[in-house]
Amino acid sequence: MDTSTAERSLPAPRLDTVVRGSGPGLLLAHGAGGGIEGNFGLVLDDLARDHTLVGPHYPGAGGTPAATAPLELDDLADQLVASAVAAGQESFAVLGESLGTAVAVRVAARHPERVTALVLTAGFAVADPVLALAARLIGVLGGAGRWEEVARLATVSVMSAAELAEIAPADLDARAARTLAGLPPGMRDHFDLASRVDVRPDLGSIAVPTLVVAPTGDRLVLPESSYRLAAGIPNAELLELPGAAHILGEPDRVTWLRHVRAFLATATGGPA
C-alpha cells in the first residue's frame, strides 16, 4: 500500500456527520454496529467544550444510507478525512474505538500530513479469533433475519465477565431489547469489514503520538489485540483499564477521559 507523504485528493464527503464544539479538531471513528452517540456519548459534551468534534457515521449508521457494496477501509478512511475537511478542520487528532481504531490507523497512513495524534481504544490491527467468530455469527444470524439473537450476542459480547456474573436475567433481557432497538442497518456490513481489515503493514509508518487504551475485561476484542497495536506503532503509549469491558461504562469512561485529555494536551498542545 502506498503510504507516501504526498497529499491525497479527497472524495466528496457523503457521510452523515455530527459537528460540535470549538477548538482543535478531533475526528471520531466509531465502532462496528455503533455510532457517534453510542460510542462517545458519555464524553461528547466534555470534549466539545474545547475541541471541534467531527463525528462521521459509517454507511448504515446515523443518517448515512446503507452501503450497496462491501465496505472498503481505504474509502472509509478517505471519507472520514473529507468530512473533517468539509467541517473546516485541515488537521486533527483522531479518536478511534474498536473498528474505528483500524480506520484511524489507515487515516494516519493515508493522510499523515493531516493527523496530529491518535487515540486507539479497544482496538485491533487484524481481527483476532474471537472478533472473527463474532463477525461471522452476526453475518449468518443477520442474514437469516434473526436480529434478536444478534442483539443478545452483541449485548453479552460488550459486557465484562464481572458484569455478566452479576446481572439479573430480566435486566439482561432488557438490555438486549435496547440493543435490538438500536441496531443500525449497517450492522452486518460493519462487522464484515471488521473481519477483513488488516492494518499491520501500516503500523510502522505511524509517526504521530499515539495512545493505545486496552480494556482488560474486553470479551469482543481481546486485550492482546491492543497490546499488539501498541507494540507495532513506534513510541506508542499503552494504557490499561483493569476489568473494563469493550464498551466502557461510566466510571471507566471518566478514567479514559482524564488520560485522553492529558495525552492530547501533551501530544498536540491542546487543552488538558
Side-chain angles (χ1 to χ4, degrees):
M1 189 192 70
D2 177 16
T3 57
S4 68
T5 57
E7 185 172 344
R8 294 177 181 273
S9 60
L10 294 173
R14 59 177 188 271
L15 302 181
D16 169 50
T17 302
V18 174
V19 181
R20 292 176 58 178
S22 61
L26 207 51
L27 178 60
L28 310 179
H30 69 75
I36 298 305
E37 185 66 33
N39 279 172
F40 302 103
L42 291 176
V43 297
L44 288 178
D45 288 343
D46 186 285
L47 290 174
R49 289 189 293 108
D50 41 29
H51 296 84
T52 299
L53 306 183
V54 181
H57 286 103
Y58 305 162
T64 304
T68 57
L71 300 179
E72 296 298 336
L73 187 61
D74 284 355
D75 178 62
L76 191 56
D78 290 352
Q79 277 293 323
L80 262 68
V81 174
S83 295
V85 172
Q89 304 305 305
E90 294 292 335
S91 63
F92 38 80
V94 189
L95 300 185
E97 297 215 357
S98 194
L99 172 61
T101 63
V103 177
V105 167
R106 187 57 55 87
V107 165
R110 288 176 66 80
H111 303 275
E113 75 287 350
R114 297 191 182 276
V115 176
T116 60
L118 295 176
V119 177
L120 309 176
T121 304
F124 57 95
V126 65
D128 59 53
V130 174
L131 176 58
L133 177 58
R136 181 176 180 180
L137 290 174
I138 287 169
V140 171
L141 292 170
R146 297 176 62 181
W147 291 107
E148 289 186 8
E149 285 85 352
V150 170
R152 185 164 289 270
L153 172 62
T155 299
V156 300
S157 295
V158 302
M159 296 171 65
S160 70
E163 290 175 316
L164 286 169
E166 298 196 7
I167 192 168
D171 292 336
L172 181 59
D173 290 344
R175 189 176 294 197
R178 290 194 297 272
T179 299
L180 177 61
L183 290 180
M187 181 83 169
R188 292 179 68 205
D189 293 333
H190 298 173
F191 274 92
D192 171 65
L193 178 61
S195 73
R196 292 185 284 110
V197 300
D198 187 351
V199 297
R200 288 175 293 183
D202 297 337
L203 299 182
S205 72
I206 302 303
V208 295
T210 301
L211 174 65
V212 176
V213 184
T216 67
D218 196 338
R219 300 174 56 258
L220 179 60
V221 176
L222 297 177
E224 285 74 15
S225 291
S226 286
Y227 301 154
R228 293 189 181 107
L229 265 183
I233 297 174
N235 302 311
E237 178 182 345
L238 175 67
L239 168 66
E240 292 181 305
L241 295 179
H246 186 72
I247 299 295
L248 301 182
E250 188 168 356
D252 290 314
R253 186 61 82 176
V254 169
T255 301
W256 177 94
L257 181 62
R258 183 175 71 253
H259 285 280
V260 168
R261 275 195 167 279
F263 169 77
L264 291 175
T266 300
T268 68

